Amino acid sequence: MTLRLKPADLLFIKTIPNDGDGFAAAISESTGAYSHVAIATSETTVIHATPKYGIIEETLADFLSEHAQVECFRMLDIDAPTVLVEAKKHLGKPYNNSFYPDADGFYCSQLVVAAFANQVKLPESVMSFGSKETFISDYWQAYFDKLGLAVPVGKLGSNPEELATYSGLEYIGTLSDAN
């Protein structure tokens, strides 16, 4: 049986160790196994926040060509068209590189929180940019030094791992480009 996506399903990306994506690895090191999340807009399209292009809608095939390990979850008891209207309001906006809550644009999980906000209060918590060993990892310190900003430790935000644990989500399966 092939998994069929429905509008407003959430697609979580698991980081593949040593795949060369330092950004995803740093997110996973700080927050957990998931480093990215997208929203299905149909069976064949997704909307998500990307560092390279900002908020975009693209085909599922293109999304899967960039992301190998995709786990899908469905939000229970929501009005999917309302979620999609909210998400699509942000198409073309920039990626929130700073992760500051009041910055322009959105990072991936911030977009999801905004898209569902009229129906569900998704979890947010104090952001972490460290690991089990360090409060702020060398990767994140260098990243924010390049931006000329302080690391936003202590700011309220979201992350894919935390969203995936939300009690109103139901795991529906995995996707691969073989589907």
Side-chain angles (χ1 to χ4, degrees), residues 60-139:
L60 181 60
D62 286 346
F63 181 79
L64 291 174
S65 73
E66 299 269 327
H67 305 288
Q69 294 189 12
V70 181
E71 295 189 354
C72 304
F73 291 78
R74 186 162 292 145
M75 187 71 66
L76 306 173
D77 302 321
I78 52 115
D79 178 59
T82 302
V83 170
L84 300 184
V85 165
E86 285 301 312
K88 288 182 178 189
K89 282 181 185 177
H90 305 295
L91 282 170
K93 290 185 179 177
Y95 187 79
N96 177 357
N97 289 307
S98 74
F99 300 97
Y100 277 75
D102 57 351
D104 286 339
F106 295 87
Y107 53 89
C108 67
S109 59
Q110 187 182 33
L111 175 64
V112 170
V113 169
F116 283 87
N118 290 336
Q119 298 180 59
V120 177
K121 173 102 174 92
L122 290 170
E124 293 183 286
S125 61
V126 173
M127 289 192 277
S128 169
F129 294 90
S131 66
K132 291 175 183 151
E133 295 80 33
T134 60
F135 185 63
I136 299 174
S137 74
D138 291 344
Y139 177 92

Side-chain angles (χ1 to χ4, degrees), residues 17-87:
N18 305 317
D19 75 349
D21 187 345
F23 187 72
I27 291 170
S28 289
E29 180 182 44
S30 295
T31 63
Y34 297 116
S35 61
H36 188 64
V37 61
I39 304 169
T41 52
S42 73
E43 279 187 47
T44 59
T45 56
V46 300
I47 186 171
H48 60 128
T50 70
K52 189 172 183 180
Y53 302 110
I55 314 306
I56 62 168
E57 187 172 18
E58 67 180 342
T59 67
L60 181 60
D62 286 346
F63 181 79
L64 291 174
S65 73
E66 299 269 327
H67 305 288
Q69 294 189 12
V70 181
E71 295 189 354
C72 304
F73 291 78
R74 186 162 292 145
M75 187 71 66
L76 306 173
D77 302 321
I78 52 115
D79 178 59
T82 302
V83 170
L84 300 184
V85 165
E86 285 301 312

